[in-house]
Amino acid sequence: LVARLILTEQHESILGFDGVQLAGGARHGSGLRSLNLLVRQGDLALIEAERHEPCDVFFEAAVGQLPPGQGVVSFKDVSWAGMTPDQVVNARGDIGRVIAGPACVINLNVDENIYLASRHPRLGADDVLEGQALDLATRWGMKSRPRTRPSWTPPRDLQVAQWIRALLVPRSLLLLQ
């Protein structure tokens, strides 16, 4: 993987990779070797993978799901490894993520998936969130929020639902995979 910082300003640190190494494998390709990257508020970073090389390893490490074999991955200057379980939940709630392909909890309806990361007292009333979600859905060509199970929902609507979930509330970090 090649990491390039596209735009930089001196603001709060949001995501940091300090000497990070992650083993590869069937799902993670060649992994990461000595990645150093600091993304600050307002930055745009482009992570480029070699052709046909999966970059899931970067995204999973960025949200604290995959601990590095060496180095430190941090979110807002706190190492994922040093966070309490409550801190991890709150930090992940501050990250919007859109991946290629479906990303839903299969035993929930798609609209319930949209609200998973947003149903938190600090984020506002449910009726406000529902109004904002409907506004985003109609802007992207949907008549309403999908209220069906993911397996019964067209792939395009599942992708739009990910965007709605990622953008429904303000986030410190938006990951587009």
Side-chain angles (χ1 to χ4, degrees):
L1 293 174
V2 176
R4 283 192 275 159
L5 204 53
I6 306 301
L7 174 75
T8 186
E9 296 180 22
Q10 295 300 314
H11 292 291
E12 174 189 15
S13 171
I14 300 297
L15 179 65
F17 282 72
D18 186 15
V20 172
Q21 293 189 19
L22 290 158
R27 184 167 169 231
H28 296 123
S30 60
L32 295 177
R33 293 184 191 94
S34 298
L35 177 60
N36 293 298
L37 175 69
L38 179 62
V39 179
R40 296 182 183 277
Q41 182 181 17
D43 285 353
L44 172 64
L46 174 64
I47 310 302
E48 292 182 280
E50 294 294 323
R51 188 178 177 150
H52 304 296
E53 180 78 11
C55 56
D56 295 352
V57 66
F58 172 82
F59 292 98
E60 289 178 14
V63 298
Q65 292 176 320
L66 186 63
Q70 185 175 331
V72 176
V73 180
S74 59
F75 180 72
K76 291 188 169 182
D77 289 324
V78 179
S79 164
W80 284 106
M83 291 184 193
T84 66
D86 285 342
Q87 288 173 314
V88 168
V89 168
N90 287 331
R92 287 184 183 150
D94 201 17
I95 299 171
R97 186 174 179 188
V98 178
I99 67 169
C104 290
V105 177
I106 59 172
N107 63 335
L108 296 177
N109 287 345
V110 175
D111 64 327
E112 294 170 313
N113 273 276
I114 288 172
Y115 299 121
L116 277 178
S118 304
R119 298 241 189 251
H120 192 284
R122 68 179 168 87
L123 298 176
D126 287 350
D127 57 338
V128 172
L129 292 174
E130 289 176 14
Q132 291 170 336
L134 181 58
D135 181 53
L136 288 170
T138 55
R139 285 176 192 236
W140 287 322
M142 300 172 80
K143 292 183 174 129
S144 65
R145 296 177 319 281
R147 297 180 188 272
T148 56
R149 295 286 193 214
S151 60
W152 302 336
T153 306
R156 180 201 179 278
D157 290 352
L158 291 175
Q159 199 65 44
V160 169
Q162 281 194 70
W163 279 96
I164 293 170
R165 182 178 59 221
L167 298 173
L168 187 56
V169 295
R171 312 276 187 195
S172 292
L173 179 65
L174 179 61
L175 296 172
L176 308 177
Q177 189 171 341

